[in-house]
Amino acid sequence: MVRAVLQLKGVERHYEQAERRLTILNGADFSLHAGEMVALVAPSGTGKSTLLHTAGLLERPDGGDVVLAGRACGRLSDDNRTAIRRNDIGFVYQFHHLLPEFSALENVMMPQLIKGLSRGEAAERAAQLLDYMQIGKRATHRPSELSGGEQQRVAIARAVANAPLVLLADEPTGNLDPVTASYVFQALEALVRQSGLAALIATHNHELASRMDRRVTLAEGRVVPL
């Protein structure tokens, strides 16, 4: 059996609210494999973002562990977790969060430069990714000069610029009209299939969810099949 790229093992996540403890994740178990796209479909307020942030090492689990490529990561130092996020995890959000003063090409170059690649190497890979996302002709344009769908395709290219093992996306098409959402998802799906990424995608769009390999939801703080 192929080992999972990402595993949540009995993950607990709690928040203190006034005098009460709010439990968001309650022994959550989940596995994600290379080349697999999984839809996370659940109502607002059930913990989708908390699950993604914990899986992506942005938040520490209060119990259990997050295992990435066989390495237990939940108790690592902040510096080690930051390095793993930079190299092995890509994030895409509902809003693109592109840097407005830089071009599309420069936005995709940025994580590579932070990682230590030369400008030439970073620019070459950024151009390849933008071409793959069918937005290469807009490489020199700033975010304000791009449509919503174009901005999100740049954001996806940036998320995978460092060739991560896992892509975590939180409503990546939530701000787009249905036609544009379908087009952006098609580009994302092709990228996942071609690269062998493991992708967990939170979405309210049931049509897009049905196009993924499987669907899961959150029930009483646990990940369950849908």
Side-chain angles (χ1 to χ4, degrees):
M1 180 180 293
V2 178
R3 183 172 17 177
V5 175
L6 173 68
Q7 292 176 288
L8 304 184
K9 295 186 174 183
V11 168
E12 305 273 345
R13 195 73 181 93
H14 313 285
Y15 298 99
E16 301 299 329
Q17 192 175 71
E19 296 181 354
R20 59 191 289 258
R21 191 188 209 198
L22 187 62
T23 296
I24 304 298
L25 301 177
N26 187 23
D29 295 308
F30 175 70
S31 295
L32 185 67
H33 297 82
E36 182 181 38
M37 294 184 76
V38 176
L40 174 59
V41 183
S44 297
T46 55
K48 294 194 304 296
S49 295
T50 296
L51 179 70
L52 289 171
H53 289 170
T54 306
L57 308 183
L58 290 168
E59 298 184 21
R60 289 184 184 275
D62 296 307
D65 211 340
V66 178
V67 180
L68 185 66
R71 182 183 184 186
C73 299
R75 301 290 177 265
L76 294 177
S77 69
D78 288 344
D79 287 346
N80 284 335
R81 290 162 66 243
T82 297
I84 292 171
R85 285 198 305 271
R86 181 173 61 237
N87 297 325
D88 296 329
I89 303 173
F91 293 91
V92 181
Y93 298 97
Q94 182 172 347
F95 186 70
H96 56 77
H97 294 298
L98 298 174
L99 298 172
E101 66 271 28
F102 294 103
S103 68
L105 184 76
E106 290 166 335
N107 267 279
V108 182
M109 288 172 62
M110 200 63 64
Q112 301 176 76
L113 296 175
I114 293 171
K115 186 177 180 179
L117 269 68
S118 69
R119 288 193 65 84
E121 291 174 311
E124 182 178 1
R125 175 159 173 78
Q128 290 172 348
L129 284 168
L130 291 175
D131 283 340
Y132 193 88
M133 298 299 291
Q134 300 181 17
I135 196 175
K137 293 180 180 179
R138 308 283 279 169
T140 60
H141 292 251
R142 294 184 178 182
S144 62
E145 301 169 314
L146 303 175
S147 70
E150 289 171 338
Q151 291 170 344
Q152 200 64 327
R153 278 182 278 162
V154 175
I156 292 168
R158 180 183 59 184
V160 301
N162 283 339
L165 299 173
V166 174
L167 179 68
L168 303 173
D170 195 354
E171 298 287 350
T173 61
N175 278 333
L176 307 176
D177 65 81
V179 173
T180 304
S182 181
Y183 189 76
V184 168
F185 179 82
Q186 184 178 5
L188 173 59
E189 182 180 21
L191 184 64
V192 169
R193 305 303 187 197
Q194 180 68 26
S195 64
L197 265 172
L200 176 61
I201 301 172
T203 181
H204 282 108
N205 188 321
H206 289 273
E207 191 277 324
L208 295 185
S210 69
R211 292 160 60 176
M212 301 191 217
D213 298 307
R214 56 189 172 102
R215 293 175 295 166
V216 298
T217 190
L218 283 164
E220 298 180 350
R222 296 176 182 266
V223 182
V224 297
L226 187 63

